[in-house]
Amino acid sequence: MKLRIDYNNMLTHTIGDEGITQATLDSLSPAILAANKNMEEKRKAGKMAWRDLPYNQNEIVEDILNYVNEMKGQIEAFVVLGIGGSALGPMAVQQALNHPYYNELPREKRGGFPKLYVVDNVDPERLVYLFQTIDPTKCLFNVISKSGSTSETMSQFMIIKQQLEEKIGIEAARKLIVCTTDAVTGNLITIAKQEGYKHFYIPSAVGGRFSELTPVGLLPAAFCGLDIKGLLEGAAEMDKMCEASNIYKNAAHMYALLHYIGMTTGKNISVMMPYADALKYISDWYAQLWAESLGKQFDVNGKTVNVGQTPVKALGVTDQHSQVQLYAEGPFDKIIVFLGVDEYRETITIPKTYGDMPSLGFLGGVTHNNLIQTEQAATEYALTKANRMNMTITLPKVTPQTLGQLLYFFEVATAYAGELLNIDAFDQPGVEEGKNATYAMFGRPGYDTKKAEMDAAPAKADRYII
Ligand code: PA5
């Protein structure tokens, strides 16, 4: 089973002058050759370690599965403490592959696996309400942080550690904390070793938003009974599909190229619109990957470029009744990507209740499967008729393999888009600035200069506050 990418509606032959011409594609051959070369060289030089993840984790997978077997019967819930690249992937995979009401199912219907919670924010209500929902002494807390120093995650960890130790003592608390972090750098690995927590590693050369296929994503997925070997197999399949140097045979590269052309012609928004609840949080995961990787001030030569494309999350059919009006008639500034599914995991048929009412009768006997797919096709038609750039990625079915393909597809596409834009897709200086400003405001040692810079910034004027 393999993903299909249909990009007809990005081209002039369906959307006229708003589309991309064959001449434009041909003219970009030198840029494509250069991007291919850079991708290959970086991979050989070990600068794209995330591309090796489908192949080099056999022992890690065994360790994860053994640990799950040891712990799953002892806990009621598995709680992820992480943010950004350390949370969005686990949420997306759980939503895609497990029952949508997984936590509400009785344990036997969850295959004996614990519930899953992902606490990715420091809204003060979040943990308080979580503690009203779960008994922390019956949970396993997975502290996930690549850097091992992210304030949000580490503060959650500190709160939970204290609660556990107060309630059940240091020894018992130790068993209920597992860390996923860089093997060498950061506070978390030091703490994990000093305090004796079970820990898994995120390879140093794999950045946060490219880490879903490391223990960051594999451990929570395995604790929810998901087939993590299947995920990695799917990623390996996509890796093979992404080897072609011919852009017409390499869907991830083509995706990147079409978006790159879009960006250079005012299409500054990338809409991700799955027509499957299962894929709903793929949009969130993609939003981080695409935005944080490609939104950059400088190119690799230090030239100011201010590039990037704003990701927008949508859901079919829900957003047909919300955002699609804008997509069809608003500014020509978007590329809309539909994520479709050939075969849904369930079927439900609409009864022939109101056969004598023409506006309802046509629904009788139709399945929701047919309805959602028809509405997807109809929305694609309407946007194409309105000359809006759109394309469709179709999963034959949402399975661990096809999901592995999809995640890896977007990672390769993002890295390739970075090459075309000539930027570093793997750093995030804009995020660091906000983190540093937070540290400065708290008076963290070493951030005095930042604090002075902030104090010298123009003050807000009261007259502009109503
Ligand atoms: O992609 C990234 O590197 C970031 O978005 C991180 O995932 C996020 O800031 C969390 O960082 P960490 O995993 O180091 O706690």
Side-chain angles (χ1 to χ4, degrees):
M1 284 205 280
K2 168 166 150 321
L3 303 191
R4 296 193 308 280
I5 287 87
D6 175 353
Y7 61 94
N8 268 281
N9 301 335
M10 295 292 291
L11 308 175
T12 46
H13 85 99
T14 58
I15 58 167
D17 288 348
E18 279 299 316
I20 298 165
T21 64
Q22 187 61 49
T24 302
L25 288 173
D26 293 343
S27 73
L28 286 164
S29 293
I32 293 166
L33 285 176
N36 287 349
K37 189 163 162 275
N38 286 344
M39 290 281 280
E40 268 170 43
E41 282 176 4
K42 282 189 183 157
R43 189 170 188 174
K44 277 189 197 140
K47 291 183 182 159
M48 289 209 204
W50 51 273
R51 294 204 69 161
D52 301 328
L53 297 172
Y55 308 106
N56 62 7
Q57 297 193 92
N58 288 348
E59 277 180 32
I60 294 163
V61 166
E62 288 316 311
D63 190 12
I64 288 174
L65 295 177
N66 289 336
Y67 182 56
V68 170
N69 271 337
E70 176 197 329
M71 292 299 295
K72 78 169 186 180
Q74 302 179 42
I75 53 167
E76 286 175 1
F78 184 86
V79 184
V80 170
L81 310 178
I83 197 163
S86 296
L88 292 163
M91 286 194 269
V93 167
Q94 169 74 353
Q95 172 78 11
L97 297 177
N98 250 332
H99 193 290
Y101 303 110
Y102 176 85
N103 278 0
E104 281 109 287
L105 293 175
R107 188 160 192 136
E108 63 275 14
K109 290 202 174 166
R110 285 186 266 118
F113 290 96
K115 296 178 181 180
L116 176 75
Y117 295 94
V118 180
V119 186
D120 68 341
N121 201 358
V122 286
D123 179 325
E125 296 171 13
R126 190 77 167 256
L127 273 182
V128 173
Y129 290 157
L130 182 73
F131 294 143
Q132 290 171 7
T133 311
I134 58 164
D135 175 353
T137 64
K138 293 186 178 137
C139 297
L140 180 59
F141 293 91
N142 184 195
V143 193
I144 311 180
S145 178
K146 172 77 196 325
S147 62
S149 61
T150 302
S151 304
E152 295 87 345
T153 305
M154 296 308 284
S155 66
Q156 290 166 341
F157 162 62
M158 288 187 267
I159 292 168
I160 278 156
K161 173 181 146 75
Q162 188 200 40
Q163 287 230 0
L164 288 177
E165 289 180 353
E166 275 174 12
K167 285 191 162 100
I168 54 175
I170 294 176
E171 273 311 306
R174 182 175 297 141
K175 267 201 89 183
L176 298 183
I177 293 171
V178 51
C179 304
T180 306
T181 189
D182 191 280
V184 188
T185 55
N187 298 322
L188 189 54
I189 191 59
T190 310
I191 293 170
K193 286 183 177 167
Q194 271 172 6
E195 301 185 11
Y197 302 126
K198 171 82 176 163
H199 52 273
F200 292 90
Y201 294 128
I202 308 170
S204 291
V206 176
R209 56 193 174 274
F210 287 82
S211 69
E212 172 52 19
L213 296 171
T214 71
V216 167
L218 299 180
L219 186 65
F223 261 101
C224 295
L226 298 175
D227 174 12
I228 58 174
K229 290 183 182 170
L231 268 176
L232 293 169
E233 277 162 26
E237 284 159 13
M238 183 51 69
D239 184 51
K240 296 284 169 255
M241 293 180 229
C242 292
E243 274 174 2
S245 54
N246 179 346
I247 194 97
Y248 294 97
K249 297 206 157 98
N250 191 323
H253 288 190
M254 181 56 93
Y255 180 97
L257 180 69
L258 296 170
H259 280 75
Y260 166 72
I261 297 170
M263 284 182 232
T264 59
T265 56
K267 307 289 185 283
N268 295 322
I269 297 173
S270 168
V271 177
M272 184 61 59
M273 190 165 184
Y275 271 75
D277 282 1
L279 300 175
K280 182 174 175 178
Y281 295 131
I282 290 293
S283 303
D284 292 65
W285 174 81
Y286 169 81
Q288 186 212 9
L289 185 69
W290 199 247
E292 204 164 282
S293 302
L294 304 182
K296 297 289 153 70
Q297 182 175 2
F298 301 111
D299 72 7
V300 292
N301 303 315
K303 187 176 152 215
T304 301
V305 286
N306 295 113
V307 292
Q309 201 178 36
T310 305
V312 168
K313 302 174 279 181
L315 180 68
V317 303
T318 306
D319 280 298
Q320 286 176 203
H321 301 270
S322 158
Q323 299 191 46
V324 165
Q325 168 63 30
L326 171 74
Y327 301 168
E329 296 190 358
F332 285 83
D333 57 0
K334 299 170 197 64
I335 298 175
I336 296 117
V337 177
F338 299 111
L339 285 184
V341 173
D342 282 334
E343 189 188 336
Y344 291 83
R345 287 168 294 205
E346 303 294 341
T347 301
I348 190 160
T349 305
I350 306 164
K352 297 179 180 169
T353 312
Y354 297 109
D356 54 340
M357 297 173 79
S359 62
L360 292 178
F362 73 97
L363 290 172
V366 169
T367 61
H368 267 182
N369 311 53
N370 191 355
L371 184 58
I372 194 169
Q373 286 172 332
T374 305
E375 291 199 37
Q376 180 189 334
T379 304
E380 179 187 337
Y381 170 77
L383 293 182
T384 304
K385 190 178 164 194
N387 299 328
R388 306 299 162 140
M389 277 191 174
N390 69 88
M391 60 194 287
T392 302
I393 302 173
T394 307
L395 282 71
K397 195 172 177 178
V398 182
T399 66
Q401 282 80 5
T402 58
L403 188 70
Q405 287 182 20
L406 188 69
L407 295 171
Y408 197 86
F409 169 89
F410 282 131
E411 289 179 356
V412 174
T414 303
Y416 199 76
E419 293 306 332
L420 292 166
L421 290 165
N422 199 31
I423 49 114
D424 183 346
F426 304 106
D427 66 1
Q428 54 281 329
V431 176
E432 301 305 334
E433 182 64 22
K435 284 186 181 180
N436 293 340
T438 306
Y439 301 148
M441 284 192 265
F442 276 113
R444 180 175 155 180
Y447 290 82
D448 305 347
T449 314
K450 180 59 64 187
K451 179 77 172 64
E453 174 198 304
M454 292 173 77
D455 289 345
K460 284 189 175 174
D462 285 345
R463 66 182 179 281
Y464 296 129
I465 301 172
I466 299 170

